Amino acid sequence: MRYLRLVCCVAALAMIANSLPASAHHSFAAEYDGAKPIKLTGKVTKVEWYNPHVFFYIDVKDEKTNVVSNWAAEMNSPNSLMRLGWTRDSMKLDDEVTVEGSLAKDGSKLLNARTVVLAKTGQRLFAGSSDGSTPTR
């Protein structure tokens, strides 16, 4: 009888775990266009330091229209960024940054960051998420 309860509990847990939505990991080429480089400068409005990828958001002012748009930038995983010299405190709200990367294929205000330059220190940090972004040492 105990064995039957254990089997039922394990089966129930397996069904519950199987029904949860899975977060799929995507490749760079699936979402971004490496042939469309972009360079943006703006103030950081939000930083999301979570797996599988770190995101940060910046307000960018269009020089021609003076319209401010909020852009999202995807970087590598927190562990990869730490190996490249990042800490959770490397970038803070209202910091001025210049980010270089590749545009999203869908035309949204999203880019895959290759490098980030912090205006306050001039430090250039590698984001390591896009193709060809690993620094040569």
Side-chain angles (χ1 to χ4, degrees):
M1 189 63 162
R2 283 179 127 175
Y3 179 73
L4 183 59
R5 279 189 198 164
L6 179 63
V7 170
C8 287
C9 286
V10 169
L13 287 173
M15 286 191 304
I16 290 169
N18 195 31
S19 68
L20 296 174
S23 62
H25 186 84
H26 59 272
S27 70
F28 170 85
E31 194 165 346
Y32 300 99
D33 188 345
K36 292 185 179 175
I38 187 167
K39 182 176 182 178
L40 300 171
T41 299
K43 285 196 175 193
V44 176
T45 60
K46 184 177 184 181
V47 179
E48 296 176 339
W49 193 269
Y50 303 114
N51 277 319
H53 294 278
V54 173
F55 279 84
F56 69 94
Y57 301 82
I58 59 173
D59 278 342
V60 178
K61 184 177 181 181
D62 186 309
E63 296 297 322
K64 295 176 184 172
T65 64
N66 287 331
V67 173
V68 176
S69 300
N70 193 255
W71 283 76
E74 178 180 0
M75 297 192 292
N76 212 333
S77 69
N79 278 342
S80 295
L81 291 178
M82 285 187 278
R83 286 192 299 271
L84 292 170
W86 285 85
T87 68
R88 284 182 177 266
D89 296 325
S90 293
M91 185 181 348
K92 297 181 180 177
L93 296 182
D94 292 326
D95 280 354
E96 179 98 8
V97 298
T98 299
V99 59
E100 294 181 55
S102 300
L103 281 171
K105 286 183 174 181
D106 66 5
S108 63
K109 294 194 181 320
L110 171 66
L111 70 137
N112 188 279
R114 220 176 350 270
T115 60
V116 179
V117 177
L118 307 172
K120 65 183 175 191
T121 63
Q123 183 179 16
R124 181 183 190 92
L125 293 167
F126 293 92
S129 187
S130 57
D131 287 350
S133 63
T134 305
T136 55
R137 296 187 190 238

